[in-house]
Amino acid sequence: MERKKGWLTSGAFAALCGTTKETLRHYKDVGLLLPAHQGDNGYFYYDVEQFYDFYAISIFRQTGTPLEEIRRCLQGQNTAKTLELLREQRVRLEAERQKLEHMDFVLFGALHSLEFESRPDMIPRTAWFEREHLLALPVRELEGLMTPEASEDEALIVVLERCRALCSQYGIQTDFQLGAIHQPGEQGGPGAISHLYTRIKEKADFPYYKEKPAGNYLYLCCRGRWDISAGYAALNRCILERGLETIGDFYACDLAGFILNSVEKNAASMISVRLLDSVLTR
Protein backbone atom coordinates (compact mmCIF):
# COMPACT_ATOMS: atom_id res chain seq x y z
CA MET A 1 0.00 0.00 0.00
CA GLU A 2 1.38 3.38 -1.00
CA ARG A 3 1.68 5.90 1.80
CA LYS A 4 3.80 9.05 1.82
CA LYS A 5 4.69 11.14 4.84
CA GLY A 6 1.59 12.99 6.06
CA TRP A 7 -0.75 10.99 3.83
CA LEU A 8 -3.48 8.95 5.54
CA THR A 9 -5.89 6.36 4.20
CA SER A 10 -9.56 7.04 4.83
CA GLY A 11 -9.53 4.50 7.66
CA ALA A 12 -6.46 6.03 9.34
CA PHE A 13 -7.80 9.56 8.87
CA ALA A 14 -11.21 8.55 10.29
CA ALA A 15 -9.47 7.09 13.35
CA LEU A 16 -7.40 10.26 13.81
CA CYS A 17 -10.55 12.42 13.64
CA GLY A 18 -12.65 10.15 15.83
CA THR A 19 -15.21 9.56 13.10
CA THR A 20 -16.16 6.86 10.59
CA LYS A 21 -15.24 6.13 7.00
CA GLU A 22 -18.93 6.47 6.15
CA THR A 23 -18.96 10.06 7.42
CA LEU A 24 -15.85 10.90 5.40
CA ARG A 25 -17.45 9.32 2.33
CA HIS A 26 -20.55 11.47 2.81
CA TYR A 27 -18.48 14.64 3.19
CA LYS A 28 -16.58 13.68 0.02
CA ASP A 29 -19.80 13.05 -1.93
CA VAL A 30 -21.23 16.48 -1.05
CA GLY A 31 -17.94 18.22 -1.78
CA LEU A 32 -17.33 19.25 1.81
CA LEU A 33 -14.04 17.47 2.52
CA LEU A 34 -12.18 15.89 -0.40
CA PRO A 35 -9.06 13.73 -0.07
CA ALA A 36 -6.02 15.87 -0.78
CA HIS A 37 -3.97 13.26 -2.66
CA GLN A 38 -4.28 10.40 -5.12
CA GLY A 39 -1.53 7.85 -5.20
CA ASP A 40 -0.07 6.08 -8.21
CA ASN A 41 -2.15 3.10 -7.21
CA GLY A 42 -5.34 5.10 -7.71
CA TYR A 43 -6.22 5.25 -3.99
CA PHE A 44 -7.14 8.55 -2.37
CA TYR A 45 -5.39 9.85 0.73
CA TYR A 46 -6.02 12.61 3.23
CA ASP A 47 -3.35 15.02 4.34
CA VAL A 48 -2.74 15.24 8.08
CA GLU A 49 -3.40 19.01 7.93
CA GLN A 50 -6.99 18.20 6.91
CA PHE A 51 -7.58 17.16 10.50
CA TYR A 52 -8.24 20.83 11.19
CA ASP A 53 -10.74 21.05 8.34
CA PHE A 54 -12.62 18.10 9.80
CA TYR A 55 -12.42 19.61 13.28
CA ALA A 56 -13.93 22.86 12.01
CA ILE A 57 -16.68 20.95 10.23
CA SER A 58 -17.52 18.98 13.38
CA ILE A 59 -17.73 22.16 15.47
CA PHE A 60 -20.01 23.84 12.94
CA ARG A 61 -22.15 20.72 12.64
CA GLN A 62 -22.64 20.54 16.41
CA THR A 63 -23.98 24.10 16.36
CA GLY A 64 -26.48 23.22 13.65
CA THR A 65 -24.80 24.90 10.69
CA PRO A 66 -26.02 23.48 7.35
CA LEU A 67 -23.45 21.54 5.33
CA GLU A 68 -23.73 23.89 2.37
CA GLU A 69 -22.93 26.90 4.57
CA ILE A 70 -19.91 25.09 6.00
CA ARG A 71 -18.73 24.20 2.50
CA ARG A 72 -18.93 27.81 1.34
CA CYS A 73 -17.03 28.96 4.40
CA LEU A 74 -14.20 26.46 4.03
CA GLN A 75 -13.84 26.84 0.30
CA GLY A 76 -14.31 30.60 0.16
CA GLN A 77 -11.59 31.38 2.70
CA ASN A 78 -13.16 34.81 3.26
CA THR A 79 -12.18 36.29 6.62
CA ALA A 80 -15.15 38.65 6.91
CA LYS A 81 -17.70 35.95 6.10
CA THR A 82 -15.97 33.48 8.42
CA LEU A 83 -16.11 36.01 11.26
CA GLU A 84 -19.80 36.56 10.60
CA LEU A 85 -20.47 32.83 10.68
CA LEU A 86 -18.48 32.38 13.89
CA ARG A 87 -20.39 35.18 15.59
CA GLU A 88 -23.69 33.61 14.53
CA GLN A 89 -22.62 30.29 15.98
CA ARG A 90 -21.60 31.92 19.27
CA VAL A 91 -25.08 33.42 19.57
CA ARG A 92 -26.62 30.03 18.79
CA LEU A 93 -24.38 28.28 21.31
CA GLU A 94 -25.24 30.80 24.03
CA ALA A 95 -28.94 30.20 23.49
CA GLU A 96 -28.37 26.44 23.66
CA ARG A 97 -26.25 26.82 26.80
CA GLN A 98 -29.05 28.72 28.52
CA LYS A 99 -31.54 26.01 27.55
CA LEU A 100 -29.30 23.29 28.96
CA GLU A 101 -28.71 25.22 32.18
CA HIS A 102 -32.46 25.69 32.60
CA MET A 103 -33.10 21.98 32.00
CA ASP A 104 -30.46 21.11 34.58
CA PHE A 105 -32.04 23.53 37.08
CA VAL A 106 -35.49 22.00 36.60
CA LEU A 107 -34.27 18.40 36.81
CA PHE A 108 -32.06 19.10 39.83
CA GLY A 109 -35.00 20.71 41.61
CA ALA A 110 -37.26 17.77 40.80
CA LEU A 111 -34.62 15.29 42.00
CA HIS A 112 -34.05 17.22 45.24
CA SER A 113 -37.78 17.47 45.91
CA LEU A 114 -38.46 13.79 45.27
CA GLU A 115 -35.65 12.86 47.64
CA PHE A 116 -37.49 14.78 50.37
CA GLU A 117 -40.74 13.08 49.33
CA SER A 118 -39.40 9.80 50.69
CA ARG A 119 -39.21 11.16 54.26
CA PRO A 120 -41.75 9.86 56.84
CA ASP A 121 -45.28 11.23 56.50
CA MET A 122 -46.52 13.86 58.99
CA ILE A 123 -43.45 13.62 61.26
CA PRO A 124 -41.71 16.95 62.02
CA ARG A 125 -37.95 16.83 61.51
CA THR A 126 -35.07 19.29 61.29
CA ALA A 127 -32.45 19.78 58.61
CA TRP A 128 -30.18 22.38 57.10
CA PHE A 129 -31.70 23.98 54.00
CA GLU A 130 -29.65 25.86 51.45
CA ARG A 131 -30.73 29.29 50.27
CA GLU A 132 -33.38 29.41 47.54
CA HIS A 133 -34.24 32.22 45.15
CA LEU A 134 -37.91 32.86 44.56
CA LEU A 135 -40.22 34.68 42.19
CA ALA A 136 -42.90 35.66 44.71
CA LEU A 137 -46.33 36.90 43.62
CA PRO A 138 -48.30 38.90 46.22
CA VAL A 139 -51.68 37.27 46.84
CA ARG A 140 -53.41 40.65 46.82
CA GLU A 141 -52.08 41.34 43.33
CA LEU A 142 -53.26 37.95 42.10
CA GLU A 143 -56.71 38.45 43.61
CA GLY A 144 -57.01 41.61 41.54
CA LEU A 145 -56.42 39.61 38.37
CA MET A 146 -59.26 37.13 38.87
CA THR A 147 -62.94 37.17 39.71
CA PRO A 148 -64.02 36.27 43.28
CA GLU A 149 -65.84 33.18 42.01
CA ALA A 150 -62.84 31.87 40.03
CA SER A 151 -62.31 28.11 40.28
CA GLU A 152 -59.00 26.56 41.34
CA ASP A 153 -58.14 25.80 37.72
CA GLU A 154 -58.96 29.36 36.64
CA ALA A 155 -56.83 30.71 39.49
CA LEU A 156 -53.94 28.47 38.45
CA ILE A 157 -54.17 29.80 34.89
CA VAL A 158 -53.86 33.36 36.22
CA VAL A 159 -50.85 32.45 38.37
CA LEU A 160 -49.02 30.63 35.58
CA GLU A 161 -49.74 33.39 33.07
CA ARG A 162 -48.40 35.96 35.52
CA CYS A 163 -45.27 33.91 36.17
CA ARG A 164 -44.63 33.48 32.46
CA ALA A 165 -45.16 37.19 31.78
CA LEU A 166 -42.69 38.19 34.52
CA CYS A 167 -40.12 35.65 33.33
CA SER A 168 -40.35 37.11 29.83
CA GLN A 169 -40.24 40.70 31.08
CA TYR A 170 -37.20 40.26 33.32
CA GLY A 171 -35.37 37.46 31.51
CA ILE A 172 -35.80 34.98 34.37
CA GLN A 173 -36.07 31.19 34.25
CA THR A 174 -38.23 29.18 36.63
CA ASP A 175 -39.38 25.60 37.09
CA PHE A 176 -43.04 26.74 37.51
CA GLN A 177 -43.46 24.52 40.60
CA LEU A 178 -45.64 26.52 42.95
CA GLY A 179 -45.35 27.09 46.67
CA ALA A 180 -46.94 29.37 49.24
CA ILE A 181 -45.42 31.77 51.77
CA HIS A 182 -47.30 32.13 55.04
CA GLN A 183 -46.66 34.99 57.42
CA PRO A 184 -46.31 33.91 61.07
CA GLY A 185 -49.64 33.82 62.89
CA GLU A 186 -50.41 35.38 66.26
CA GLN A 187 -49.76 32.08 68.05
CA GLY A 188 -46.46 31.54 66.25
CA GLY A 189 -47.76 29.06 63.70
CA PRO A 190 -48.44 29.65 60.00
CA GLY A 191 -50.87 32.48 59.33
CA ALA A 192 -52.39 33.81 56.13
CA ILE A 193 -50.75 33.27 52.74
CA SER A 194 -48.93 36.41 51.66
CA HIS A 195 -47.33 35.17 48.41
CA LEU A 196 -47.36 32.33 45.95
CA TYR A 197 -43.91 31.54 44.66
CA THR A 198 -41.88 29.55 42.21
CA ARG A 199 -38.15 28.95 42.35
CA ILE A 200 -35.67 30.71 40.08
CA LYS A 201 -32.07 29.74 39.40
CA GLU A 202 -30.26 32.71 40.94
CA LYS A 203 -30.66 36.02 42.69
CA ALA A 204 -32.32 38.62 40.50
CA ASP A 205 -32.81 42.35 40.75
CA PHE A 206 -36.53 42.75 40.13
CA PRO A 207 -39.56 43.69 42.28
CA TYR A 208 -40.86 40.14 42.73
CA TYR A 209 -37.65 38.63 44.08
CA LYS A 210 -37.61 37.03 47.50
CA GLU A 211 -34.97 34.91 49.19
CA LYS A 212 -35.64 31.88 51.31
CA PRO A 213 -32.64 32.10 53.66
CA ALA A 214 -30.30 29.24 54.37
CA GLY A 215 -30.52 27.81 57.86
CA ASN A 216 -31.78 25.07 60.13
CA TYR A 217 -35.42 24.41 59.36
CA LEU A 218 -38.20 22.50 61.03
CA TYR A 219 -40.08 20.72 58.28
CA LEU A 220 -42.82 18.19 57.75
CA CYS A 221 -43.75 16.14 54.68
CA CYS A 222 -47.37 15.44 53.74
CA ARG A 223 -47.84 12.47 51.42
CA GLY A 224 -50.83 10.97 49.64
CA ARG A 225 -53.07 14.02 50.02
CA TRP A 226 -53.65 17.34 48.29
CA ASP A 227 -55.19 18.90 51.41
CA ILE A 228 -52.26 19.60 53.74
CA SER A 229 -54.17 21.45 56.49
CA ALA A 230 -53.40 18.57 58.89
CA GLY A 231 -49.72 19.14 58.15
CA TYR A 232 -49.94 22.78 59.21
CA ALA A 233 -51.64 21.73 62.45
CA ALA A 234 -49.03 19.05 63.17
CA LEU A 235 -46.12 21.42 62.57
CA ASN A 236 -47.69 24.11 64.75
CA ARG A 237 -48.33 21.57 67.49
CA CYS A 238 -44.69 20.51 67.38
CA ILE A 239 -43.53 24.12 67.74
CA LEU A 240 -45.76 24.71 70.76
CA GLU A 241 -45.02 21.40 72.50
CA ARG A 242 -41.26 21.72 72.11
CA GLY A 243 -41.17 25.44 72.80
CA LEU A 244 -39.28 26.08 69.57
CA GLU A 245 -38.49 29.59 68.44
CA THR A 246 -38.94 30.23 64.75
CA ILE A 247 -37.92 33.16 62.60
CA GLY A 248 -39.41 34.44 59.38
CA ASP A 249 -42.09 33.02 57.15
CA PHE A 250 -43.49 29.53 56.73
CA TYR A 251 -43.05 27.89 53.32
CA ALA A 252 -45.26 25.23 51.76
CA CYS A 253 -44.09 23.64 48.51
CA ASP A 254 -45.06 20.83 46.19
CA LEU A 255 -42.57 17.95 46.10
CA ALA A 256 -44.10 15.66 43.47
CA GLY A 257 -44.62 18.51 41.03
CA PHE A 258 -45.20 18.02 37.33
CA ILE A 259 -43.91 14.45 37.47
CA LEU A 260 -46.25 12.69 39.92
CA ASN A 261 -48.78 15.12 41.39
CA SER A 262 -51.64 14.45 38.96
CA VAL A 263 -52.71 11.48 41.13
CA GLU A 264 -53.56 12.20 44.76
CA LYS A 265 -51.90 9.04 46.12
CA ASN A 266 -48.63 10.34 44.66
CA ALA A 267 -49.08 13.88 46.00
CA ALA A 268 -46.34 15.12 48.30
CA SER A 269 -45.81 18.51 49.92
CA MET A 270 -43.47 19.99 52.47
CA ILE A 271 -44.05 22.72 55.06
CA SER A 272 -40.99 24.35 56.59
CA VAL A 273 -39.97 27.22 58.86
CA ARG A 274 -36.54 28.41 59.92
CA LEU A 275 -35.51 27.86 63.54
CA LEU A 276 -34.09 30.73 65.54
CA ASP A 277 -31.93 28.33 67.52
CA SER A 278 -29.15 26.88 65.35
CA VAL A 279 -29.06 23.66 67.34
CA LEU A 280 -30.85 20.83 65.56
CA THR A 281 -33.62 19.33 67.66
CA ARG A 282 -35.16 15.96 66.92
Side-chain angles (χ1 to χ4, degrees), residues 82-240:
T82 300
L83 282 172
E84 181 181 356
L85 179 59
L86 292 175
R87 292 189 180 106
E88 289 176 357
Q89 301 317 308
R90 285 294 308 279
V91 171
R92 189 176 298 175
L93 280 175
E94 175 61 21
E96 187 64 24
R97 182 188 66 79
Q98 292 182 9
K99 288 181 182 179
L100 291 173
E101 285 187 354
H102 179 58
M103 290 168 60
D104 180 65
F105 167 66
V106 172
L107 294 178
F108 175 81
L111 175 63
H112 182 68
S113 294
L114 287 174
E115 286 173 344
F116 266 102
E117 188 271 341
S118 63
R119 307 296 169 88
D121 182 37
M122 299 294 287
I123 299 179
R125 301 169 68 88
T126 53
W128 176 268
F129 284 14
E130 298 295 337
R131 177 176 62 168
E132 290 186 355
H133 307 289
L134 312 177
L135 187 166
L137 303 171
V139 168
R140 289 184 179 179
E141 178 180 308
L142 292 171
E143 289 174 345
L145 298 175
M146 63 185 77
T147 61
E149 63 275 8
S151 67
E152 288 188 6
D153 287 344
E154 290 171 331
L156 179 59
I157 291 172
V158 170
V159 173
L160 292 177
E161 286 179 342
R162 186 64 178 142
C163 284
R164 186 171 292 281
L166 290 172
C167 287
S168 177
Q169 180 179 351
Y170 293 103
I172 294 166
Q173 294 181 330
T174 177
D175 59 5
F176 290 101
Q177 301 306 298
L178 296 179
I181 300 175
H182 295 258
Q183 294 177 329
E186 295 181 359
Q187 303 300 320
I193 296 177
S194 62
H195 295 77
L196 297 182
Y197 73 85
T198 182
R199 290 174 297 188
I200 57 179
K201 188 173 185 295
E202 55 193 6
K203 185 175 181 179
D205 183 16
F206 75 118
Y208 294 87
Y209 174 79
K210 277 187 175 294
E211 177 186 291
K212 181 181 179 181
N216 290 320
Y217 278 75
L218 178 70
Y219 73 94
L220 176 145
C221 292
C222 304
R223 293 161 50 198
R225 60 183 70 82
W226 287 320
D227 181 357
I228 62 172
S229 55
Y232 288 115
L235 195 70
N236 191 39
R237 187 165 54 250
C238 175
I239 293 170
L240 295 175

